[in-house]
Amino acid sequence: MLQFAIRRLAMLVPVFLAVSLVIFMIIHLVPGDPLEHLIQVGSSPEQRAQMIARYGLDQPLLVQYGRWLAKVVTGDLGDAIVMRQPVARLIAENMPHSLALGGAALIFSTTVGIVTGVLAASFRDSLFDRAVMGFILLGSTLPSFWLALLMILMFAVQFEWFPVSGARSWDALVLPALTIGIGGTALIARVTRAAMIEIANRDFVRVLHAKGLPFWRIQLRHVLQQAMLPVMTILGLRIGWILGGAVTVEYVFARPGLGSLLITALGQRDYPLVQGCLLMLAIAVMLGTLLGDLAQAALDPRLREAMGAR
């Protein structure tokens, strides 16, 4: 298992380099001047040239990328041009809000998704199963911003159960977490249901039923355990998706977080801050995928053997 983990970590290095290069190049190819918010009206060409040289914007893009990457490796993400604070500090101040939101959404979608998927597979073709399939179809098609506005109108404005915006109390976390979690619940329920139905048709499950073992014991102890393999992969991918989805949801609910910080940085054309936020989201996706693979390998030794590790 240790060899498998080391090999998977090593595979992340070239992925990280490729992602960091894409992020850096895309940001610098976007139209707009990062110094337009920084240089005062009426500044002389010499003052503008000094500012450009100060931030290294007069260097070729590959040279700028090399310098930025060398700093990133040491944990230095540079300084935000407009806010004039270290990017790492701004991310560290906002990341806990995004992690709390993402964690709550992940717990909700995982718990409800797996329970719903197990029940739908166990009562296949029943009224409950059809209702779940309808929810899956609806949940997978609703845009997060539309669902967020619906949540605000219904539970914050109409019933006044939760605050409309902010992050000052725990109940302000409920509506944003539900908005992000509903889409994940539908996906996890669909994967769990499909995996359990596929495994339930295998010969060893028929043998267990023939031996007279209780139905729910077979479902939860034997079928669900193997059905968790594809679910783990989905959960790993969901970690990055949830943080990415938080960008829109945090903005709609006016919550502090990495998403709100990214949108602010985009509006200000603040290259270092945008790069830092996008890099953190990319790292979250890579770590989520890694955790999903490790969980899969822990449950299935065949995966470790396929990579030549034990």
Side-chain angles (χ1 to χ4, degrees), residues 111-242:
T111 305
V112 178
I114 291 177
V115 171
T116 306
V118 170
L119 292 176
S122 302
F123 299 104
R124 185 180 180 184
D125 297 330
S126 65
L127 180 61
F128 176 80
D129 184 26
R130 294 191 182 94
V132 169
M133 293 303 293
F135 164 75
I136 289 172
L137 179 63
L138 184 64
S140 59
T141 54
L142 288 177
S144 58
F145 72 91
W146 187 89
L147 190 58
L149 294 176
L150 183 64
M151 290 275 187
I152 291 174
L153 288 174
M154 184 176 295
F155 298 110
V157 177
Q158 183 68 28
F159 297 116
E160 298 182 354
W161 290 349
F162 302 100
V164 176
S165 61
R168 295 181 178 178
S169 57
W170 68 269
D171 54 353
L173 187 65
V174 175
L175 295 184
L178 288 177
T179 301
I180 300 175
I182 285 177
T185 301
L187 178 61
I188 293 172
R190 182 174 61 186
V191 173
T192 304
R193 177 184 180 277
M196 289 200 65
I197 290 175
E198 190 269 331
I199 294 170
N201 290 326
R202 293 181 181 176
D203 292 338
F204 82 95
V205 177
R206 294 194 182 95
V207 172
L208 293 176
H209 283 295
K211 288 183 177 179
L213 268 66
F215 173 78
W216 284 109
R217 182 179 177 183
I218 297 174
Q219 289 290 91
L220 299 178
R221 187 170 181 178
H222 300 280
V223 178
L224 180 60
Q225 182 178 356
Q226 295 199 30
M228 282 296 96
L229 292 176
V231 175
M232 287 297 175
T233 303
I234 296 298
L235 288 178
L237 296 175
R238 290 295 303 172
I239 295 176
W241 189 94
I242 282 174

Side-chain angles (χ1 to χ4, degrees), residues 17 28 35 54 63 70 79 84 89 101 119 127 143 165 172 201 236 280-282 310:
L17 293 175
H28 283 75
L35 299 180
R54 177 182 174 184
V63 174
D79 294 331
R84 302 190 181 187
R89 180 193 299 171
L101 176 58
L119 292 176
L127 180 61
S165 61
N201 290 326
M280 288 301 106
L281 291 174
R310 293 181 180 278

